[in-house]
Amino acid sequence: MVDVLALVEARLRTALGEPDARAAVTFLGTERIEVLRFADGDIVRYATLGMSAQPMTDPAAALADPVKGPRAELVLSVRAGLADTDQVLRPLAVLASTPQVEGVIVAPGASLDIGEPLWPGAPFSSVLVAEPGGLVENLELDDPMDPVRFLPLLPMTTNEAAWKRVRGAQELEERWLANGTDLRDPLRGSVRLD
């Protein structure tokens, strides 16, 4: 059996360079989740490592397939030095454990909410899962395993998350784009939603 996490870490290193820090979190009844931090000039990126060890399972499925099914890791990019964003390590591990704990499939367009600020003073407690393939390319695995997708996370304010629930992910992303919203700003306010 292939060591999926070793391949995932190699892909992250190829795309983002050497991590300058890492932390591990284990929740009762779940696999260990690591969060790697990569510095890239004035941007710091946090990537989970461990979510893709097992495929995500449709909650309606009678049995979990140990081989087939979607696999993913999460990537968050923020501007460095503006907030204590290193405190996001535990919240990211919580989000990455969601498929194991809640039996959900994390996919683009989904909202994930942790119920508290992502880091001290953050105006965000939830994230929008964006489309993969930009920053870190999908990692193809041997058949019959699905590829590992590296899903970017876009922090959402409470108002944005509520608006997204009503109008959908695409409309929120279009609103951000139309307003030139800096989604990497760890202190940004909510985009105009009227």
Side-chain angles (χ1 to χ4, degrees):
M1 188 67 170
V2 65
D3 184 351
V4 172
L5 295 184
L7 295 174
V8 167
E9 184 166 356
R11 173 59 54 93
L12 287 169
R13 288 173 184 267
T14 299
L16 304 176
E18 286 299 310
D20 64 356
R22 66 192 309 146
V25 179
T26 305
F27 303 102
L28 187 62
T30 67
E31 300 284 329
R32 169 184 161 121
I33 302 285
E34 288 189 84
V35 179
L36 310 181
R37 184 181 72 187
F38 301 87
D40 182 14
D42 70 334
I43 302 294
V44 62
R45 302 184 197 287
Y46 302 94
T48 63
L49 179 62
M51 183 176 169
S52 62
Q54 301 296 324
M56 293 180 273
T57 303
D58 184 334
L63 288 172
D65 190 316
V67 178
K68 293 176 74 175
R71 294 175 190 257
E73 295 291 351
L74 307 175
V75 180
L76 174 70
S77 301
V78 293
R79 295 209 179 284
L82 301 177
D84 188 10
T85 56
D86 282 349
Q87 298 299 316
V88 78
L89 300 178
R90 184 172 174 76
L92 270 181
V94 168
L95 295 176
S97 68
T98 301
Q100 290 180 56
V101 174
E102 297 181 19
V104 298
I105 294 177
V106 175
S111 298
L112 301 174
D113 195 320
I114 149 151
E116 60 187 45
L118 293 175
W119 52 82
F124 321 105
S125 64
S126 63
V127 293
L128 175 64
V129 180
E131 291 290 335
L135 187 61
V136 184
E137 288 184 31
N138 292 347
L139 173 64
E140 298 296 329
L141 300 174
D142 295 336
D143 278 338
M145 293 188 287
D146 289 20
V148 176
R149 301 189 313 162
F150 297 88
L151 302 172
L153 300 180
L154 308 175
M156 292 187 293
T157 65
T158 304
N159 288 344
E160 290 168 341
W163 202 79
K164 183 258 175 195
R165 279 191 296 277
V166 174
R167 305 291 284 270
Q170 183 175 347
E171 283 201 34
L172 179 58
E173 290 184 71
E174 287 171 3
R175 181 62 56 110
W176 282 335
L177 189 59
N179 285 276
T181 306
D182 181 0
L183 297 173
R184 295 177 178 168
D185 181 350
L187 301 174
R188 75 171 179 84
S190 185
V191 70
R192 287 187 51 207
L193 299 170
D194 51 6

